[in-house]
Amino acid sequence: MNPLFSNLDLFLFTLIAGLIIYWFMSRKKAEPIPEFKKLDQPAPSTQETSFIEKMKKTGRNIVVFYGSQTGTGEEFANRLSKDAQRYGMKGMAADPEEYDMSELSRLAEIGNSLAIFCMATYGEGDPTDNAQDFYDWLQETDGQLNGVNYTVFALGNKTYEHYNAMGAYVDKRLEELGAKRVFDLGMGDDDGNLEEDFVTWREQFWPAMCEHFGVEASGEDSSVRQYELKEHNDINMNKVYTGELGRLKSFETQKPPFDAKNPFLAPVTVNRKLNKAGDRHLMHLEVDITGSKIRYESGDHVAVYPTNDTVIVNRLGQILGVDLDSVISLNNLDEESNKKHPFPCPTTYRTALTHYLDIIHPPRTNVLYELAQYATDPKDQENMRKMASSAPEGKALYQSFVLEDNRNILAILEDLPSLRPPIDHLCELMPRLQARYYSIASSSKVHPNSIHICAVLVEYTTKTGRLTKGVATTWLKNKLVADNGHKSTVPMYIRKSQFRLPFKASNPVIMVGPGTGIAPFMGFIQERGWLKEQGKEVGETVLYCGCRHKEEDYLYQEELEEAKKAGVITKLNVAFSRDQEQKVYVQHLLRTNKEDLWRQIHTDNAHIYICGDARNMARDVQTVFYEIAEELGGMTRTQATDYIKKLMTKGRYSQDVWS
């Protein structure tokens, strides 16, 4: 007797039933989707991202974009946008990160319009964090910028390999895309006098603009306030900022992810002096990142937010005769501006001067110019205005009185008794206190929950006899592990770096880092040791470091000698510069080992890493590598230079330097 259903029938039946059930279920599941979409869709955001619409709405014809890592580019952009008023124009400073930069082509829709770019270069020729997307867009776009007028002022430092690379790239790329350069690229050098470079460029730029657009300066040189003061007499103190950078109370309730606007308060677990003797203070700190979800790699930078010395803050309050604990807001008079306040508000003057404002650096010329109106002595007023001009006499006065004598705002107020500005205007003009970056001196493979910092205390006496202390290093030195039973904390976040160990552990590494330049190499050495323990084949690990005296400031001596004993460091070369009559530096030791170095570089594919002072050490070390390539590679100086440049392009010659 045949069965009612064959196996094939059963299979087909099951398949059809399964498909019907699947269709029914997925149909049921799909129904609510439109509802969710409707709920999740953001409100149209053309207003927030369209700088063109904002310019049209507010009658502006000049937009000043800035790429800024330390705040100077932003400061210059604000000054230029403010200048526009004197020429019957209206400007706005804009962060390219906040706008849709593909709208640049639409600038031609606005009559007599101009885009100015104040672009700083960061690290090894990189864009600043806030200009990264703009840089990527410039590289990828093939859009046409015909009819767009532009000019660029670049901020950089001549001691770096890629001097003003970002500004030069923006200048060149905009022209390639069809935009019209209406004034020459300005080059600002922070190794010389960045302020002077900017003032000189700016004083030539505006007359050229007047000619280009057929306008005249109004002659009104008066100071125009950007913010208005609001005093809060009856405010809930829970609504007042006490040092947070973004979200109110973010230091009380910490929520990841942690970044520049939301730093993590990392407890200090170790703070020890590294040098045994001598008149300097070299320190090693360890901060705990347990539970923060923060990840880092060897070679990354830790950014920390320091605070100003309370003695200086109190003295400023005293000299200006104000109650520093008054609660205030500085509100932007331009209601359309994305920047509602110069720093988080409402807050107190004390908090602003302690956490938010840079009161230690010598003030720029525009600050002196704007404050001059408050000097009751006509001579003081005249000198302050003179210092802000590009006249040779004014430049010389600013150079000697402010820069060479290293006068901060407090020193200027002390030395000019007729100058007593209102504190709110002073707070409006002072630049923001910036995060400080340190090369991380640990490996996350060995210390996943801890970040190590190596720093030297900055302290010196100025020509006027004042003791000047570095803001961040003084603050770090005082971060005791337990302070009155409380754990000291450091507000921090991680900045990723290109300073990376080779992908193949078997590649040799040559590390050159005198003084605190040894910091990232402590992380590299720990990591190479860890890789060795994992049974990986690890190439030669060669270190060139240096200090003044072996018995005084040989940094990490025990750790380095231990790593040498364990075979993690294959060759340890230490230059003790002042232990003999002739000074010996790392570059001298490199010359001594030239045959070995050439083999490692030319034959064994070694990666070279330089960390430390850009002005002298990094330059001298690079010269030694040129000489070795000339002598042992039989090259001319031009060929040797190209050879080292090629290593840089391939990521085999990396620098983490500062000036």
Side-chain angles (χ1 to χ4, degrees):
M1 191 177 153
N2 287 337
L4 195 59
F5 294 106
S6 71
N7 283 348
L8 181 64
D9 289 337
L10 280 168
F11 171 74
L12 287 169
F13 179 79
T14 311
L15 184 67
I16 291 162
L19 285 168
I20 289 166
I21 291 164
Y22 175 76
W23 177 80
F24 188 74
M25 293 298 285
S26 63
R27 191 169 149 270
K28 277 194 81 167
K29 236 187 248 170
E31 275 173 4
I33 284 177
E35 205 50 47
F36 283 123
K37 258 190 174 164
K38 209 185 289 173
L39 286 171
D40 284 352
Q41 242 162 18
S45 61
T46 48
Q47 200 47 49
E48 287 82 52
T49 63
S50 173
F51 64 91
I52 296 293
E53 294 310 316
K54 183 173 274 192
M55 287 174 78
K56 285 180 174 178
K57 187 178 163 190
T58 57
R60 289 160 206 261
N61 59 338
I62 291 181
V63 58
V64 194
F65 292 106
Y66 56 85
S68 187
Q69 197 70 29
T70 61
T72 313
E74 181 179 358
E75 210 183 302
F76 286 0
N78 280 322
R79 284 160 72 174
L80 289 166
S81 79
K82 237 173 151 178
D83 282 347
Q85 276 174 278
R86 286 177 52 203
Y87 303 95
M89 303 185 198
K90 217 171 164 197
M92 67 179 251
D95 182 344
E97 200 171 33
E98 292 178 3
Y99 293 101
D100 176 2
M101 294 304 287
S102 66
E103 287 214 322
L104 202 52
S105 58
R106 292 184 56 206
L107 193 61
E109 295 171 16
I110 298 170
N112 271 4
S113 59
L114 170 69
I116 307 174
F117 295 85
C118 289
M119 306 308 288
T121 300
Y122 185 75
E124 296 304 295
D126 304 317
T128 56
D129 292 349
N130 78 313
Q132 184 66 56
D133 292 345
F134 172 50
Y135 175 72
D136 294 342
W137 174 77
L138 279 176
Q139 286 192 305
E140 291 154 18
T141 189
D142 50 10
Q144 284 304 300
L145 299 181
N146 297 350
V148 173
N149 296 314
Y150 79 93
T151 187
V152 179
F153 183 81
L155 297 86
N157 188 310
K158 261 210 178 96
T159 56
Y160 287 77
E161 183 73 27
H162 305 277
Y163 173 52
N164 274 332
M166 182 61 183
Y169 174 75
V170 170
D171 182 59
K172 177 173 142 286
R173 186 69 182 128
L174 290 172
E175 185 180 45
E176 286 170 1
L177 293 169
K180 184 184 179 189
R181 182 190 298 106
V182 293
F183 192 69
D184 292 341
L185 168 68
M187 298 286 261
D189 177 19
D190 204 24
D191 185 47
N193 185 337
L194 184 59
E195 176 68 14
E196 188 178 306
D197 294 337
F198 176 68
V199 167
T200 305
W201 178 85
R202 174 176 162 246
E203 290 214 352
Q204 292 165 351
F205 162 73
W206 282 116
M209 283 311 91
C210 288
E211 200 176 320
H212 186 272
F213 290 121
V215 293
E216 278 180 33
S218 65
E220 281 174 39
D221 233 358
S222 60
S223 141
V224 181
R225 287 292 298 262
Q226 200 177 341
Y227 298 93
E228 66 177 346
L229 172 68
K230 179 171 176 25
E231 292 174 335
H232 304 278
N233 299 318
D234 185 21
I235 190 169
N236 177 349
M237 290 310 279
N238 281 327
K239 297 205 167 118
V240 176
Y241 281 88
T242 56
E244 311 92 320
L245 292 134
R247 179 174 56 85
L248 190 68
K249 302 288 172 208
S250 62
F251 286 168
E252 285 176 30
T253 51
Q254 293 251 279
K255 291 178 193 163
F258 296 105
D259 56 25
K261 293 270 165 58
N262 181 35
F264 176 65
L265 292 181
V268 177
T269 54
V270 173
N271 184 351
R272 64 185 168 94
K273 189 176 178 182
L274 282 172
N275 49 321
K276 300 182 192 81
D279 52 6
R280 296 188 304 159
H281 183 96
L282 293 131
M283 56 191 128
H284 171 89
L285 281 93
E286 296 179 18
V287 298
D288 186 4
I289 53 169
T290 306
S292 66
K293 295 196 168 82
I294 288 172
R295 300 278 171 271
Y296 74 94
E297 286 182 65
S298 306
D300 282 343
H301 295 133
V302 58
V304 301
Y305 283 103
T307 57
N308 288 311
D309 187 339
T310 51
V311 173
I312 295 175
V313 171
N314 290 335
R315 179 81 181 110
L316 274 171
Q318 187 190 351
I319 214 166
L320 294 174
V322 290
D323 174 6
L324 291 176
D325 297 309
S326 311
V327 180
I328 56 113
S329 288
L330 285 180
N331 301 325
N332 203 323
L333 290 160
D334 172 7
E335 287 172 11
E336 291 300 320
S337 174
N338 282 12
K339 197 173 179 183
K340 301 298 175 205
H341 316 282
F343 43 78
C345 290
T347 190
T348 64
Y349 287 124
R350 186 183 304 283
T351 300
L353 294 169
T354 305
H355 293 271
Y356 299 138
L357 298 171
D358 182 349
I359 55 174
I360 298 302
H361 266 107
R364 297 198 184 279
T365 58
N366 65 306
V367 176
L368 302 177
Y369 184 87
E370 297 239 359
L371 293 181
Q373 60 184 307
Y374 302 112
T376 51
D377 180 336
K379 190 81 190 121
D380 289 347
Q381 203 171 107
E382 186 195 337
N383 282 336
M384 288 174 76
R385 292 219 165 104
K386 198 183 281 173
M387 284 191 264
S389 76
S390 62
E393 192 192 342
K395 281 181 183 176
L397 186 58
Y398 178 71
Q399 183 68 34
S400 62
F401 183 76
V402 179
L403 298 182
E404 285 168 17
D405 289 353
N406 204 36
R407 281 184 172 86
N408 58 29
I409 192 66
L410 175 60
I412 286 170
L413 292 171
E414 285 175 340
D415 293 346
L416 301 179
S418 95
L419 177 65
R420 293 296 176 262
I423 192 167
D424 61 296
H425 200 175
L426 187 77
C427 288
E428 173 180 322
L429 294 169
M430 288 284 101
R432 282 292 292 268
L433 184 59
Q434 299 295 328
R436 304 301 203 266
Y437 299 98
Y438 293 95
S439 305
I440 296 177
S442 52
S443 161
S444 58
K445 301 282 192 293
V446 183
H447 299 284
N449 292 316
S450 177
I451 285 173
H452 299 183
I453 297 170
C454 171
V456 58
L457 180 70
V458 176
E459 211 171 69
Y460 56 94
T461 303
T462 68
K463 285 183 179 175
T464 62
R466 292 179 170 95
L467 179 66
T468 295
K469 300 176 180 183
V471 176
T473 53
T474 305
W475 170 79
L476 282 172
K477 178 180 179 261
N478 295 326
K479 285 284 172 189
L480 307 174
V481 175
D483 204 357
N484 292 333
H486 294 289
K487 273 190 172 169
S488 284
T489 57
V490 166
M492 53 72 65
Y493 68 97
I494 297 296
R495 190 179 198 282
K496 293 286 168 203
S497 158
Q498 300 301 314
F499 204 67
R500 289 278 180 264
L501 276 168
F503 181 69
K504 282 168 71 175
S506 56
N507 283 118
V509 298
I510 299 158
M511 304 173 288
V512 185
T516 55
I518 196 171
F521 304 136
M522 295 309 294
F524 281 13
I525 292 160
Q526 288 171 15
E527 192 139 327
R528 300 279 273 189
W530 180 85
L531 288 164
K532 232 177 154 69
E533 280 171 19
Q534 305 300 304
K536 294 266 191 333
E537 186 202 332
V538 177
E540 289 176 85
T541 302
V542 180
L543 176 67
Y544 289 84
C545 59
C547 56
R548 294 176 181 180
H549 302 282
K550 184 174 183 176
E551 297 309 318
E552 278 187 14
D553 54 3
Y554 183 174
L555 304 187
Y556 298 111
Q557 180 176 358
E558 293 79 8
E559 292 93 323
L560 294 176
E561 287 173 356
E562 194 57 50
K564 175 80 174 73
K565 215 162 84 183
V568 176
I569 296 177
T570 43
K571 201 159 184 203
L572 177 60
N573 310 276
V574 191
F576 302 108
S577 62
R578 302 179 188 189
D579 274 352
Q580 58 288 307
E581 215 172 306
Q582 286 291 100
K583 284 191 178 167
V584 174
Y585 295 119
V586 284
Q587 56 268 32
H588 300 129
L589 301 188
L590 288 166
R591 266 196 201 97
T592 310
N593 297 328
K594 59 190 176 188
E595 281 86 4
D596 237 8
L597 283 166
W598 184 245
R599 169 187 58 78
Q600 288 156 346
I601 299 163
H602 198 63
T603 313
D604 301 344
N605 229 5
H607 286 235
I608 302 162
Y609 300 92
I610 320 288
C611 182
D613 160 52
R615 189 179 286 115
N616 302 309
M617 182 277 299
R619 246 181 213 174
D620 293 344
V621 164
Q622 204 163 311
T623 304
V624 172
F625 282 115
Y626 293 157
E627 289 166 2
I628 292 171
E630 277 180 81
E631 192 184 328
L632 300 172
M635 300 179 192
T636 63
R637 176 49 70 100
T638 309
Q639 288 170 326
T641 308
D642 286 347
Y643 182 84
I644 298 299
K645 288 247 183 338
K646 276 207 181 78
L647 291 183
M648 288 176 179
T649 312
K650 288 178 182 166
R652 281 184 50 206
Y653 190 114
S654 307
Q655 301 190 83
D656 179 0
V657 292
W658 55 83
S659 69

